[in-house]
Structures are given as C-alpha cells and as structure tokens.
C-alpha cells in the first residue's frame, strides 16, 4: 500500500509484466489480453483506468502509425500526382507510374508477409516505412524510364523501339540504384535495435520487388499505351533553362561551388543542435492513452517512482 497507493489516497498503480520481447507479436498479444482483463474488471465501477508504461506506448504508437498510414499514403499520392502532372502534363503518362506502384506495393506486402510466416522478423511500423519507400522508389524508377523514352521519341524513334532503347540505357542505372538502396537496408539487420533490424530486411525486399516491376511491368504498360499514342511527350518547356544553367555552371564552376557551400554548410551544421532522446513517450501526442496515464501518475506519485531509469 505504501508504494502502490498515492499519498492523497486517490490513485493506485499496478505494475504488470508482459510476456515476450517488447514490440514482438507475442508481447502485443499479451498486452491486449491485459487490456481486456483490466477493462472487464473495472467496468461499471467509479474508477478511471489508464494503461501506461513502455509496452502501452509501443502498442499505441503502432496503432496510431497504422491509422496514420492511410493519411500518409493519400498525402504522398496527391503530392506525387501534382509533380507528375507538372512534369508530363498528360493524364495517362501521370497514371502509368501510379498503376505500377499500386501493383508493386500489393505484391511487396504479400512477399514480406510470406517471409514473415517463414521466420523473417517484422514489426507493424515496417508497413509505414514500406509504403513511403516504395512510392518514392517507384516514382523515381518510372521517371528515369519514361523520361528516356520521351527523349528517344523526340529523336524520331517508333514507340516500341523507344521503349527498348530506354530500357537498355536506363535499366543498369535503375539496377545500380536499387542495389545500393537494398544493400543499405540489409545493413540495418546487423543492429541490436529491433526497430531497425525488423525494418531493414523488409525494406530491402520491397526495393527488390520495385526494381523487378520497373524493368518488367512498367515497360510493358509503357509499350501498350505508347502504341496508341497515349503517352506522347508534350512540348519541352525547360530545355532552355537547363541549357543555360549547364553553360553557366561550366563557365563559372568555382562561383557555383562556393554558392552551394554557403547554403549547404550552415544547414549541415544544424546537426550540432540535435538532441537525441530515447523517451518513447515524446513520439505520441499528449492525448494518447499512455501519456494520459503517465500524466496521472506524475500528478499523484513522486517523480520517477514507477520508472527510476527516467
């Protein structure tokens, strides 16, 4: 009673051990069982109940992350649509990368799920990272291929020839880019921090799927739409700007180098102001259940009574 009851006799805290490693499926299932038990026990009483602590914070962070995933995807797709519309000014050309990405993302999710069934460690946060990464990589690879395809069309090649030549020219670039990113993500598997080791391999697999789609599905769609003239390039509006920019840089490289450094060095120096925190609570809004519960503990109990390490 001296430890678990507050001095004002208005609050109790009950520590509960959760089975499984933090963030693992076993831990998540155990936590949900505890929540159900507590809610059933206090139902109909006058008690205010809050689930808090690191396990509650991690679980809630995953729930909020999955809920926000739809917002992230919608906002990202909307911004990508605007960029593609400005660049290509053609609805069909704009939709080709998005169709490819949609199919690729569905395929990658199922591949990662199958690997998880075979023992690959993943977390719910992996889905959030996968979504953003695959949209970015998919658009990147599509822009590479479509831009080179348009370039060959402007040189007078037929659509099928332009697709073949574009894939020959840009395929190795996409392969190098995908390999570099995938290997980087695989490197995350060597860390002891589970948030990274459960994310890196899944992202590497996602990038591999995005690469395969960019050299198979995307060229196939481009071929079918190109034969019908649906993805013809519009009149180039920025050639003069890039030509002048290139000439000016070549003529005055030192001035451009100094100008770039004057902008980039102060921005890079901002890393000195970074203060890293491993307090998981700061990742959630104050209205989150686990933060509300911790605030209640702080109102009724001495500081650091329940979590001395903080």
């Amino acid at each position: 009673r001296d430890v678990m009851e507050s001095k004002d006799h208005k609050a109790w805290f009950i520590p509960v051990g959760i089975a499984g490693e933090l963030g693992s499926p076993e831990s998540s299932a155990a936590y949900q069982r505890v929540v159900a038990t507590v809610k059933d026990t206090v139902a109909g009483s006058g008690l205010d109940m809050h689930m808090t602590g690191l396990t509650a914070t991690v679980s809630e962070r995953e729930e909020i992350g999955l809920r926000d995933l739809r917002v992230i995807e919608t906002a990202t797709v909307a911004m990508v649509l605007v960029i593609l519309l400005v660049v290509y000014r053609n609805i069909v050309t704009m939709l080709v990368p998005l169709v490819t990405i949609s199919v690729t993302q569905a395929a990658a999710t199922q591949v990662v799920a199958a690997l998880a069934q075979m023992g690959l460690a993943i977390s719910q946060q992996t889905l959030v990272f996968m979504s953003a990464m695959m949209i970015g990589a998919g658009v990147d690879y599509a822009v590479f291929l479509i831009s080179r395809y348009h370039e060959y069309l402007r040189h007078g090649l037929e659509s099928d020839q332009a697709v073949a030549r574009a894939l020959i020219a840009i395929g190795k670039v996409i392969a190098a880019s995908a390999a570099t990113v995938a290997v980087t993500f695989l490197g995350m598997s060597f860390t002891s921090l589970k948030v990274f080791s459960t994310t890196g391999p899944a992202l590497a697999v996602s990038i591999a799927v995005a690469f395969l789609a960019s050299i198979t599905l995307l060229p196939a769609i481009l071929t079918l739409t190109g034969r019908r003239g649906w993805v013809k390039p519009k009149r180039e509006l920025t050639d003069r700007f890039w030509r002048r920019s290139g000439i000016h840089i070549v003529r005055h490289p030192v001035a451009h180098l100094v100008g770039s450094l004057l902008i980039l060095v102060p921005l890079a120096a901002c890393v000195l102001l970074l203060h890293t925190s491993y307090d998981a609570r700061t990742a959630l809004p104050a209205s989150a259940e686990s933060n509300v519960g911790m605030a209640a503990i702080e109102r009724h109990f001495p500081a650091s009574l329940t979590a001395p390490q903080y």
Side-chain angles (χ1 to χ4, degrees), residues 108-129:
T109 302
Q110 298 308 311
V111 170
V112 170
L115 292 175
Q117 291 292 328
M118 290 185 277
L120 177 68
I122 63 172
S123 66
Q124 290 181 339
Q125 288 177 308
T126 302
L127 295 176
V128 179
F129 293 124

Side-chain angles (χ1 to χ4, degrees), residues 3 13-15 52-53 294 297-298 301-310:
V3 175
F13 82 87
I14 303 178
T52 190
M294 192 59 69
I297 287 180
E298 291 170 349
F301 293 93
S304 296
L305 176 67
T306 58
Q309 67 271 30
Y310 286 114

Side-chain angles (χ1 to χ4, degrees), residues 49-53 281 286-301:
M49 182 274 296
H50 302 287
M51 304 295 297
T52 190
R281 292 170 54 195
S287 58
E289 171 70 13
S290 57
N291 278 344
V292 172
M294 192 59 69
I297 287 180
E298 291 170 349
R299 285 196 306 270
H300 295 282
F301 293 93

Side-chain angles (χ1 to χ4, degrees), residues 81 84 88 90-101 221:
L81 278 172
L84 293 177
Y88 294 124
N90 182 317
I91 297 297
V92 178
T93 307
M94 179 181 71
L95 293 177
V96 167
L98 295 181
V99 171
T100 305
I101 291 168
I221 296 175

Side-chain angles (χ1 to χ4, degrees), residues 219-233:
I221 296 175
L222 202 57
T223 299
L224 294 174
T225 53
R227 289 173 180 174
R228 294 163 174 77
W230 294 348
V231 289
K232 286 183 178 179

Side-chain angles (χ1 to χ4, degrees), residues 256-280:
H256 281 273
L257 176 61
V258 173
S260 297
L261 291 177
L262 287 176
I263 297 173
L264 295 176
V265 170
L267 292 175
C270 291
V271 73
L272 299 175
L273 304 177
L274 176 66
H275 298 288
T276 303
S277 170
Y278 286 93
D279 186 356

Side-chain angles (χ1 to χ4, degrees), residues 76-302:
T76 303
V77 169
M79 289 187 287
V80 167
L81 278 172
V82 172
I83 293 172
L84 293 177
L85 186 59
V86 170
V87 172
Y88 294 124
R89 306 186 306 281
N90 182 317
I91 297 297
V92 178
T93 307
M94 179 181 71
L95 293 177
V96 167
L98 295 181
V99 171
T100 305
I101 291 168
S102 298
V103 175
T104 304
Q105 193 165 355
T109 302
Q110 298 308 311
V111 170
V112 170
L115 292 175
Q117 291 292 328
M118 290 185 277
L120 177 68
I122 63 172
S123 66
Q124 290 181 339
Q125 288 177 308
T126 302
L127 295 176
V128 179
F129 293 124
M130 279 178 57
S131 178
M133 182 56 60
M134 293 198 68
I135 291 176
V139 171
D140 201 26
Y141 302 156
V143 168
F144 283 164
L145 186 63
I146 294 174
S147 297
R148 187 56 62 92
Y149 167 73
H150 282 171
E151 183 178 326
Y152 285 127
L153 285 182
R154 291 190 177 99
H155 290 168
L157 270 66
E158 296 293 330
S159 178
D160 284 8
Q161 292 178 316
V163 172
R165 290 282 297 276
L167 191 56
I168 292 171
I170 213 70
K172 55 182 174 288
V173 176
I174 297 176
S177 174
T180 302
V181 176
V183 168
T184 302
F185 283 136
L186 282 177
M188 295 168 64
S189 62
F190 294 100
T191 181
S192 59
L193 292 175
K194 293 299 181 182
V195 67
F196 296 132
S197 63
T198 58
T199 300
L203 291 182
V205 171
S206 301
I207 292 296
V209 174
F211 165 68
L212 292 175
S214 68
I215 62 172
T216 55
L217 178 62
L218 177 59
I221 296 175
L222 202 57
T223 299
L224 294 174
T225 53
R227 289 173 180 174
R228 294 163 174 77
W230 294 348
V231 289
K232 286 183 178 179
K234 299 291 185 180
R235 184 173 64 87
E236 184 57 66
L237 300 178
T238 58
D239 268 359
R240 181 178 299 178
F241 168 78
W242 295 117
R243 187 181 300 110
R244 288 180 175 177
S245 178
I247 292 173
H248 197 272
I249 291 172
V250 171
R251 287 179 175 173
H252 310 283
V254 175
H256 281 273
L257 176 61
V258 173
S260 297
L261 291 177
L262 287 176
I263 297 173
L264 295 176
V265 170
L267 292 175
C270 291
V271 73
L272 299 175
L273 304 177
L274 176 66
H275 298 288
T276 303
S277 170
Y278 286 93
D279 186 356
R281 292 170 54 195
T282 59
L284 296 177
S287 58
E289 171 70 13
S290 57
N291 278 344
V292 172
M294 192 59 69
I297 287 180
E298 291 170 349
R299 285 196 306 270
H300 295 282
F301 293 93

